[in-house]
Amino acid sequence: MVSVLTFAVAWWLGLYLLARDRTNPVLVLAGGGLLSYGAAIALDDLPWTGAVAEVLVWLPAVLWAVVLARLLRDNRAARERGESGNTVGLAVVCGLLVALAAGLVLLGTGLLPRELTLASIGLDLMLLGGCVAVFDAFDAGESLRGDMLRSAALSGLATALFGGQVAVVIAVVGPDPALTALLYGVVAGAIALHVLTSPLHSLADRAALAVPVRQARAELREVADALPRKANSALADIDEAEFARLTRRALSHYGDLGKLVSSPLTELPEIDKRLTERGAPDTPLERAKELKAVLLDAIRRLKPDGREFGTSEEWRYYNALYFYYVVGIRPYSMRTKVTELDATSRQALTWFADQVPERTLHNWQSAAARLVAADLRATSVRG
């Protein structure tokens, strides 16, 4: 049963990384590597799929090499923005990748029992997946432990409840390829049903519910998913650099209340004051809405007096935040729907696309986020 347990953990962690943020390439690649390895473990245990398993077992190494390249690039970009990198974490990832390569070599030579080698490679990949999850949680200013343990416990319960029944049948009637395939299928399905609950509910809502109800349920679901990830950090204990990083992350999630719910910035004293003034209930969703309003007010304070749009140097920080995050234009992407923009936003879109290099925009956003962070900290002190 070592192979089944290795498969279950790899399958769960791969799906967990994908479910954290399907738009993050690092999480997608890391999750894909774990899922491909889990599939290789399952197929290797079946008599008619050996060739496919041999190919899949090498795929994680390729995907993880790309993960390391992206992590190194992101670390370099963070340092260029004046943020602290994660050199120790990257060193750990590099060491685990070396161990992965050694495990694959041992698998090819057959010096150790195949089941032991596969389990060792699986352990290495799980440690790599854990590192990536830690990186993502740190970058987002979120807590990882509670959310991850909750997901693992429920996935383990589902595996024992449904997969255990098939395992009992195998123990009674003896090994059988068809029952082994059924065991892996049941375990995979039980874990997927739990980890992918929110996406599956979203698909069902899209097929059965009216748009207003569907949107309301989606918003509540995002809030519920984000709550276990909220870090219990005292803002007074956060230094200036970390506060600026959290502000930049909150700005990047401006249009996503589900992500804002887990931001430590929802504990700003200004938000307490606004909730009291409105007489609104002190709920995570209301705090996220107020954080969005606080960020918008801080962005607007960067705007020079006078016109709605300008291109001089004094406008660059306001433009970089307001039009990119609040309006939602993406000047370097074909997905931006020009017809849905007003005249001012179309003018800004043209200016960004023609006059502002993408790297320059990112530098402006980093500098502007530091200004917004300083403004928020000053407001908190005054409050």
Side-chain angles (χ1 to χ4, degrees):
M1 287 296 170
V2 174
S3 295
V4 178
L5 291 176
T6 304
F7 164 81
V9 177
W11 193 256
W12 160 73
L13 186 54
L15 290 175
Y16 177 79
L17 293 178
L18 288 174
R20 275 191 67 85
D21 187 355
R22 295 186 298 276
T23 64
N24 186 330
V26 170
L27 293 179
V28 171
L29 289 167
L34 283 161
L35 292 175
S36 65
Y37 188 75
I41 290 285
L43 294 175
D44 186 70
D45 221 10
L46 301 174
W48 57 80
T49 55
V52 179
E54 290 294 339
V55 174
L56 285 178
V57 80
W58 287 87
L59 183 58
V62 178
L63 295 177
W64 273 96
V66 181
V67 167
L68 178 60
R70 295 194 70 99
L71 288 175
L72 290 170
R73 188 196 68 179
D74 293 344
N75 186 66
R76 184 172 61 253
R79 289 183 175 277
E80 290 175 352
R81 293 195 301 265
E83 300 174 3
S84 60
N86 198 340
T87 306
V88 175
L90 288 174
V92 171
V93 170
C94 289
L96 290 172
L97 282 175
V98 171
L100 174 61
L104 290 172
V105 170
L106 287 174
L107 183 65
T109 58
L111 294 176
L112 295 176
R114 186 174 180 84
E115 189 173 65
L116 175 62
T117 307
L118 288 173
S120 300
I121 293 173
L123 176 61
D124 186 88
L125 283 170
M126 291 162 207
L127 291 173
L128 282 167
C131 287
V132 168
V134 170
F135 288 167
D136 180 67
F138 173 78
D139 187 50
E142 297 175 346
S143 173
L144 177 67
R145 183 173 176 272
D147 182 60
M148 200 172 194
L149 288 177
R150 173 179 172 274
S151 178
L154 290 174
S155 294
L157 180 62
T159 298
L161 180 62
F162 297 104
Q165 299 178 54
V166 182
V168 169
V169 173
I170 293 176
V172 172
V173 304
D176 180 82
L179 287 176
T180 300
L182 178 62
L183 175 60
Y184 281 109
V186 168
V187 170
I191 294 173
L193 280 175
H194 161 63
V195 179
L196 302 179
T197 296
S198 290
L200 291 173
H201 281 184
S202 180
L203 288 174
D205 289 354
R206 186 174 300 179
L209 300 178
V211 173
V213 179
R214 188 169 72 218
Q215 291 176 341
R217 280 176 53 83
E219 188 175 85
L220 293 173
R221 201 160 43 239
E222 289 174 358
V223 171
D225 290 342
L227 280 177
R229 301 177 184 176
K230 185 174 181 178
N232 296 319
S233 303
L235 291 179
D237 299 332
I238 297 177
D239 60 29
E240 185 176 341
E242 177 66 6
F243 195 93
R245 191 183 66 79
L246 292 175
T247 302
R248 174 69 188 269
R249 175 59 63 174
L251 287 168
S252 69
H253 292 153
Y254 180 85
D256 190 338
L257 286 178
K259 295 288 181 63
L260 288 179
V261 163
S262 62
S263 173
L265 298 186
T266 55
E267 300 302 322
L268 283 168
E270 176 66 16
I271 291 177
D272 294 329
K273 178 182 176 182
R274 288 172 176 244
L275 288 174
T276 302
E277 290 175 349
R278 285 203 298 124
D282 188 355
T283 64
L285 184 57
E286 289 297 329
R287 284 188 168 272
K289 290 178 179 178
E290 287 298 342
L291 175 57
K292 186 175 180 179
V294 166
L295 291 173
L296 179 58
D297 288 345
I299 291 171
R300 283 174 172 163
R301 284 194 286 271
L302 297 176
K303 182 182 178 182
D305 295 332
R307 298 169 294 168
E308 287 300 311
F309 174 70
T311 59
S312 61
E313 187 171 332
E314 63 179 350
W315 282 85
R316 60 185 179 180
Y317 293 151
Y318 170 78
N319 291 343
L321 296 184
Y322 179 78
F323 289 105
Y324 195 88
Y325 293 126
V326 179
V327 178
I329 67 172
R330 295 295 181 266
Y332 316 107
S333 172
M334 299 299 294
R335 298 178 182 178
T336 299
K337 298 179 180 179
V338 180
T339 55
E340 297 181 0
L341 301 176
D342 58 29
T344 301
S345 299
R346 285 198 295 270
Q347 187 180 359
L349 174 62
T350 302
W351 175 69
F352 276 120
D354 295 342
Q355 304 294 329
V356 182
E358 187 171 3
R359 188 183 185 88
T360 299
L361 173 59
H362 290 163
N363 291 337
W364 288 355
Q365 287 172 339
S366 297
R370 288 193 290 271
L371 292 176
V372 170
D375 186 18
L376 295 180
R377 284 175 74 89
T379 302
S380 298
V381 171
R382 290 195 301 271

